Amino acid sequence: ELPQSERVRVELAADIAATRLSLPVEAAARALRNVLKNATEAAPADSEVLLRGRQLGEQIALAVHDRGPGIGPEILERLGEPFFTTKDTGKGMGLGLFLSRSILSRVGGQLHVETEPGAGTVATVVIPAHPEGR
């Protein structure tokens, strides 16, 4: 369901395979899809978006790296507010990151955004995990 999915390269650490997730799969997928969609829209059309997954103790971190223009501080502080968008009229309602943060919060997860103007953005979806045997 992700437009431009051929531009997304996925790198998953080996330890993720031995991890159980106890959360609504569709809700978590929607949260991640929103982040990936924003990244593919922000990145230049000829560049890929990297989705890198790794285990962090009792959590899984799914970091989405893009090579877009980055996000200025005035916009960064408003990311995730409902109906706040930087997209042209008709291109977005400003609900994607708001919904992602809401979904992740309900399942005990988080969304972190780090950016460097002119160099790109890394949006990290963090979700609770249970290493095998727990």
Side-chain angles (χ1 to χ4, degrees):
E1 294 179 33
L2 180 66
Q4 301 183 39
S5 61
E6 70 281 354
R7 291 181 47 212
V8 178
R9 181 169 49 105
V10 178
E11 293 179 0
L12 299 177
D15 57 359
I16 288 181
T19 303
R20 281 186 308 116
L21 300 178
S22 298
L23 54 107
V25 173
E26 184 53 40
R30 180 177 308 275
L32 183 58
R33 242 185 339 263
N34 288 339
V35 174
L36 284 164
K37 181 176 182 275
N38 282 356
T40 58
E41 291 174 354
D46 63 345
S47 73
E48 69 181 10
V49 169
L50 172 62
L51 168 61
R52 182 175 284 147
R54 60 192 169 110
Q55 178 101 24
L56 296 175
E58 296 287 320
Q59 300 176 317
I60 294 283
L62 301 167
V64 177
H65 302 254
D66 73 53
R67 292 188 182 115
I71 303 168
E74 65 286 346
I75 293 173
L76 187 60
E77 70 183 39
R78 295 196 61 198
L79 279 184
E81 286 182 17
F83 303 108
F84 174 74
T85 184
T86 59
K87 297 176 184 173
D88 293 335
T89 303
K91 298 287 183 183
M93 295 177 53
L95 291 175
L97 289 181
F98 169 74
L99 291 173
S100 290
R101 279 205 165 126
S102 296
I103 289 167
L104 293 168
S105 176
R106 286 182 180 220
V107 300
Q110 301 171 358
L111 175 64
H112 303 284
V113 179
E114 299 173 35
T115 188
E116 185 176 336
T121 300
V122 179
T124 305
V125 170
V126 180
I127 52 178
H130 308 286
E132 199 63 52
R134 291 189 178 199

